[in-house]
């Protein structure tokens, strides 16, 4: 039978409602035979709101009338005569346990007690299983904790379904979006950002720039500055519920550069080349390209941009006169190569074709856009979102 301790001397728990608990996380440290557990509780919590139940091998801790914060089978037996707990600054519960023999505890709770185990202990067991190379067990613990509403587990499961191929589960965009949406309900910035990315790319959902803008705006308010760049892409492209707005695009790209995004500098350079939202200025465009390259020497600048800048503004504007309204962010599809069976063109036509080839390299195809997509790795929040630059044809001429 469990021993139940209360600072007010009562031996049994009551139905009295305690303060609403925060995220049910805890940490523990070990010093030889003593285990010290720290639990975050709502500010203003009183000792009379707490209960602590234990056996030699089990522990159950929580707030009266609430689900347990810690519940499960301990890693090893403890001395029940040397259990104590206290409240620190009205928002932390500190519990000390003492084992019979000094032994390293990699986790506090090793498994369920009467088929019960708290979500955060499941999460910690997942981390332990992962460190031991047992990814199947790790994912099982994570999924169980996620289904019980544990935020860190929800975040990890969403990341695994999105990009983490180490686990024995297939990447599943529909499930990933499901868990990102659940995580986004907490108002956490990176989760809001990821939902916005799904609506931006139309992955596992209908493409919807209006919803993307909503999620990206909320992500920025929550401190996720990566969303500035995506907002810039949306406003420069327009469509899917959002009107094109070059000024807003430029404003967001500038904010993105202040957050350290060098790709945004390339975008601003393109806007100065094309004269979108700003007056055409090759000198400023070149400055942004040079700065981006200094900040990231491995950044790949499309050769068409380099060619345009090397030719200069006057040459580029002259090219525009013969480009049938094509803009700087467009380059024509190359014509198919002539086969050997075809007749050789006259010398004059060959010269014209060479000129046309040069012009094709200097212009950007209207059916191509830079696409910047983000993927999750390990997230130490920002632990790991990475930006991938890809070129993609949305339709063929």
């Amino acid at each position: 039978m469990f021993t139940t301790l209360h600072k007010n001397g009562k031996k049994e728990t009551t139905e009295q409602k305690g303060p609403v608990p925060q995220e049910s996380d805890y940490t523990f440290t070990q010093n030889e035979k003593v285990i010290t557990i720290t639990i975050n509780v709502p500010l203003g919590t009183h000792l009379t709101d707490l209960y602590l139940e234990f056996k030699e091998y089990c522990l159950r801790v929580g707030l009266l009338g609430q689900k347990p914060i810690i519940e499960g089978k301990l890693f090893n037996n403890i001395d029940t005569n040397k259990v104590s707990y206290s409240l620190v600054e009205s928002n932390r519960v500190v519990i000390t346990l003492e084992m019979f023999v000094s032994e390293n505890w990699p986790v506090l709770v090793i498994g369920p007690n009467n088929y019960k185990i708290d979500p955060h202990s499941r999460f910690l067991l997942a981390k332990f299983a992962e460190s031991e190379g047992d990814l199947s067990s790790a994912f099982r613990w994570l999924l169980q904790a996620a289904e019980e509403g544990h935020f860190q587990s929800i975040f990890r499961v969403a990341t695994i379904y999105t990009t983490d191929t180490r686990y024995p589960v297939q990447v599943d965009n529909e499930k990933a979006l499901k868990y990102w949406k659940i995580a986004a309900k907490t108002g956490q910035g990176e989760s809001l950002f990821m939902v916005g990315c799904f609506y931006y790319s139309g992955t596992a959902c209908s493409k919807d720039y209006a919803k993307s803008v909503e999620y990206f705006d909320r992500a920025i308010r929550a401190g996720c500055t990566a969303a500035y760049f995506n907002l810039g892409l949306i406003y420069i492209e327009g469509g899917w519920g959002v009107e094109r707005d070059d000024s807003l695009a430029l404003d967001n790209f500038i904010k993105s550069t202040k957050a350290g995004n060098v790709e945004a500098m390339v975008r601003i350079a393109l806007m100065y080349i094309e004269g979108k939202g700003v007056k055409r200025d090759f000198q400023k465009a070149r400055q942004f390209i040079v700065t981006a390259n200094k900040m990231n020497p491995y950044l790949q600048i499309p050769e068409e941009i380099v060619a345009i800048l090397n030719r200069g503004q006057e040459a580029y504007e002259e090219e525009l006169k013969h480009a049938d309204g094509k803009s700087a962010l467009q380059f024509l599809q190359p014509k198919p190569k002539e086969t050997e069976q075809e007749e050789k063109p006259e010398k004059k036509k060959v010269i014209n074709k060479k000129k046309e080839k040069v012009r094709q390299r200097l212009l950007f195809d209207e059916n191509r856009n830079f696409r910047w997509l983000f993927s999750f790795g390990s997230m130490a929040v920002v632990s790991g979102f990475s930006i991938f630059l890809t070129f993609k044809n949305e339709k063929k001429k």
Side-chain angles (χ1 to χ4, degrees), residues 339-351:
T339 61
E340 292 181 0
Q341 290 77 16
E342 291 177 342
E343 278 190 327
K344 293 183 179 180
E346 297 177 4
K347 187 176 181 180
K348 186 176 180 181
K349 290 184 178 180
V350 172
I351 295 173

Side-chain angles (χ1 to χ4, degrees), residues 273-296:
I273 290 173
E274 192 176 16
K276 281 186 174 180
V278 290
K279 185 178 178 181
R280 182 177 292 121
D281 190 326
F282 271 40
Q283 185 176 353
K284 287 186 177 180
R286 189 183 298 275
Q287 288 173 354
F288 276 102
I289 293 294
V290 170
T291 302
N293 191 60
K294 284 182 178 178
M295 292 180 66
N296 182 4

Side-chain angles (χ1 to χ4, degrees), residues 17-30:
K17 296 280 184 178
V20 178
Q22 298 172 326
E23 176 73 46
S24 55
D25 291 355
Y26 64 84
T27 59
F28 77 96
T29 58
Q30 180 177 353

Side-chain angles (χ1 to χ4, degrees), residues 137-189:
S137 295
F139 186 73
R140 185 179 70 252
W141 287 121
L142 284 171
L143 201 58
Q144 290 175 5
E147 291 301 323
E148 292 187 42
H150 185 261
F151 174 76
Q152 290 169 287
S153 300
I154 294 169
F155 195 96
R156 282 295 293 129
V157 168
T159 302
I160 290 167
Y161 277 131
T162 305
T163 59
D164 198 336
T165 56
R166 297 176 303 149
Y167 282 77
V169 293
Q170 291 185 340
V171 171
D172 189 321
N173 289 319
E174 289 186 2
K175 289 182 179 178
L177 181 57
K178 167 191 169 182
Y179 284 102
W180 284 126
K181 283 184 173 181
I182 295 171
K185 290 179 180 179
T186 66
Q188 197 264 352

